[in-house]
Amino acid sequence: MTAGSNCISKEEARRFLVKYHGLDGSQGLSGKDGIMRFMNRVGCIQYDPLNVAGRNADLVLQSRIEGYRPRLLEELLYTDRSLVDGYDKMMCIYRTEDFGRMARVRKAAADGAAAVMRRRGQTEALELLDVIREDIRRNGPAQAKDFSIGCNRKGRWGPKKLSSSALDYLYNTGELSVAGKTGTQKIFDFTENLFHEVRTEEFQGEDGEAAFFRWYVKRRIGSVGMLWNKNGGAWLGHFVSDRERRGACIRQLLDRGELREFRVEGIEEPFYMRTEDADVLNRPFQEGRTAFMAPLDNLLWDREMLRVLFDFTYSWEVYLPADKRKFGYYVLPVLYGSRFAGRFEPEQYRQGDSVLRIKNWWWEEGCGGDMDMRESLADAWKRFGAYLGAERTEGTAQVIK
């Protein structure tokens, strides 16, 4: 997109997004520094506890960060405290420096949790807050299993004990934060004990609400790289799900010069990017890299945008009954260059296994015959196995031969 032009081709849009996310390898992202460079750009990555071939956040990072290992993220979260677990689009990981700016999001999450308690007749949990606080003051960081107060309910979703609901509520407010984890189980401590330099609420005064909303809408666009104002997965969460309100804020950001509006050939809906990101369009694109993508990757948040830009339809079928799935339980998209070339379903991999087994592979139409693509894919398998700690993969020979 050059000066005087506000329209780009679909291929230019695809390359912009791939470069923006560091998926072509051109940014040389590696180690904890590479993770933080990526997080500084996108703001957050989505967390999900399911672990088939790594959890979602790890899968996001392994596709971009050279030599990525899960311990790097753990250190940034629970040793360096450069990143924090918290609610954003959904449950996410974001920069600790944004903790103060996210105060309104935490309040909305806490209000939502309280509303759920009221609907379920569980408001007694709110009477336990002082009990939880005093226990952690006296005994130090705690997990939900350390408390067993009150029977909550029977059901598939949510805490089963009133004390667990109270603990989650204090976490949603930000009074407690995650000190560490045992597997997927959070260990909670007072935020003030963990983050000594966390900023307080920044968006105060007469313009506080509007300033926060401008920051949050712009931040969400940056989480993907470019977005339209159509409702979809990228606009989930508190504050940003109302299209009309969002549109008014986008117009303000355009007037302030903080966003750019542009078109993609063949698509009627306009797109927006942060002004500071426009230079990515003109950076060189590194051809031929293959990346295995996370199911909740930022690039995939808006499934309709993915379809119209990349001609790739993807649905995470993990919560569908087996007979309703088109592909499989936990299927990872395969990006080659600026196109999605296929998808695959790994078998459950457990730490310490020497073999990563692939249950199924599906090529996209017209893909799979190119030798350069197969060589790139073989390299991607090596990187993916190393990230998991597997010595070899099985079920890939027929794909790359």
Side-chain angles (χ1 to χ4, degrees):
M1 186 165 58
T2 58
S5 169
N6 69 340
C7 186
I8 63 176
S9 68
K10 285 187 180 180
E11 177 61 19
E12 287 175 312
R14 289 191 291 265
R15 289 185 173 218
F16 167 80
L17 285 167
V18 173
K19 287 185 289 184
Y20 182 87
H21 284 276
L23 289 161
D24 68 335
S26 61
Q27 295 181 30
L29 301 176
S30 65
K32 289 194 283 188
D33 175 70
I35 295 172
M36 290 308 301
R37 284 172 57 195
F38 173 65
M39 293 298 295
N40 288 339
R41 169 160 283 181
V42 300
C44 76
I45 54 178
Q46 198 163 337
Y47 175 80
D48 187 88
L50 289 178
N51 186 346
V52 174
R55 297 187 178 95
N56 186 77
D58 290 317
L59 287 165
V60 170
L61 295 173
Q62 64 78 31
S63 64
R64 296 156 167 85
I65 310 300
E66 191 66 31
Y68 176 77
R69 302 293 184 269
R71 63 173 174 76
L72 298 177
L73 179 58
E74 293 174 6
E75 290 174 6
L76 286 168
L77 281 164
Y78 309 126
T79 302
D80 304 340
R81 304 289 176 190
S82 300
L83 299 174
V84 62
D85 298 280
Y87 195 89
D88 189 354
K89 171 182 175 282
M90 303 289 283
M91 283 307 304
C92 287
I93 293 167
Y94 61 82
R95 303 179 307 169
T96 303
E97 68 180 76
D98 285 338
F99 189 84
R101 303 180 183 111
M102 299 288 277
R104 283 177 169 82
V105 178
R106 288 193 298 278
K107 183 179 186 307
D111 290 347
V116 170
M117 290 182 202
R118 287 193 295 271
R119 287 199 303 272
R120 294 174 175 170
Q122 302 162 358
T123 53
E124 304 100 304
L126 297 175
E127 300 172 10
L128 301 176
L129 300 184
D130 284 340
V131 175
I132 300 292
R133 291 181 180 113
E134 181 57 30
D135 189 280
I136 295 176
R137 286 193 191 98
R138 188 171 57 249
N139 299 316
Q143 295 178 265
K145 69 178 181 61
D146 298 325
F147 303 93
S148 186
I149 307 172
C151 179
N152 206 7
R153 64 185 176 85
K154 293 182 179 179
R156 182 179 178 187
W157 304 108
K160 303 297 190 295
K161 297 179 294 185
L162 291 175
S163 52
S164 297
S165 293
L167 198 59
D168 277 354
Y169 179 81
L170 289 170
Y171 168 60
N172 281 325
T173 66
E175 187 173 348
L176 300 181
S177 289
V178 181
K181 287 183 179 177
T182 302
T184 61
Q185 299 303 305
K186 301 180 185 75
I187 303 169
F188 295 101
D189 197 359
F190 289 106
T191 298
E192 62 193 29
N193 294 339
L194 300 175
F195 307 111
H196 301 294
E197 298 181 4
V198 167
R199 299 178 184 179
T200 56
E201 167 62 62
E202 294 186 20
F203 301 107
Q204 300 181 13
E206 187 176 333
D207 189 47
E209 179 72 20
F212 160 75
F213 194 52
R214 288 193 299 270
W215 172 79
Y216 200 45
V217 168
K218 182 179 177 181
R219 180 179 184 274
R220 184 61 62 87
I221 292 171
S223 292
V224 181
M226 57 181 272
L227 274 178
W228 51 18
N229 192 29
K230 294 177 68 173
N231 288 335
W235 292 116
L236 292 177
H238 299 292
F239 300 103
V240 294
S241 59
D242 185 317
R243 179 173 180 171
E244 185 174 344
R245 184 186 184 197
R246 220 169 44 224
C249 182
I250 286 172
R251 289 190 292 274
Q252 290 178 25
L253 289 166
L254 289 168
D255 290 342
R256 294 164 66 95
E258 296 185 48
L259 293 182
R260 288 194 183 183
E261 179 179 295
F262 62 100
R263 303 274 176 168
V264 176
E265 289 176 356
I267 302 173
E268 183 176 349
E269 191 80 17
F271 288 87
Y272 307 93
M273 69 171 63
R274 298 183 300 193
T275 300
E276 60 265 33
D277 297 328
D279 70 306
V280 175
L281 278 163
N282 300 316
R283 293 180 188 174
F285 182 78
Q286 187 165 298
E287 302 277 1
R289 185 177 185 270
T290 296
F292 300 149
M293 306 291 289
L296 302 174
D297 193 286
N298 299 43
L299 182 61
L300 311 181
W301 280 359
D302 192 313
R303 303 293 204 237
E304 176 64 10
M305 194 178 95
L306 180 74
R307 184 189 66 79
V308 299
L309 289 179
F310 287 88
D311 194 26
F312 183 71
T313 300
Y314 177 72
S315 176
W316 196 34
E317 300 176 330
V318 70
Y319 295 116
L320 288 178
D323 62 346
K324 301 292 185 183
R325 295 176 191 142
K326 182 177 179 181
F327 293 101
Y329 171 70
Y330 204 98
V331 172
L332 306 183
V334 178
L335 181 75
Y336 174 68
S338 61
R339 292 284 193 152
F340 285 92
R343 65 194 85 199
F344 72 97
E345 181 182 17
E347 288 192 3
Q348 177 69 58
Y349 179 83
R350 303 188 188 283
Q351 190 172 7
D353 289 352
S354 61
V355 181
L356 167 65
R357 294 180 174 86
I358 307 305
K359 292 174 65 176
N360 292 297
W361 177 277
W362 300 269
W363 286 111
E364 288 293 286
E365 185 176 356
C367 296
D370 184 272
M371 185 55 67
D372 289 340
M373 181 185 296
R374 289 173 180 266
E375 289 178 358
S376 176
L377 181 56
D379 183 63
W381 284 126
K382 292 178 184 177
R383 297 198 311 270
F384 196 70
Y387 138 71
L388 288 171
E391 297 173 7
R392 59 190 176 88
T393 57
E394 287 185 358
T396 61
Q398 71 274 22
V399 178
I400 62 175
K401 67 180 178 180

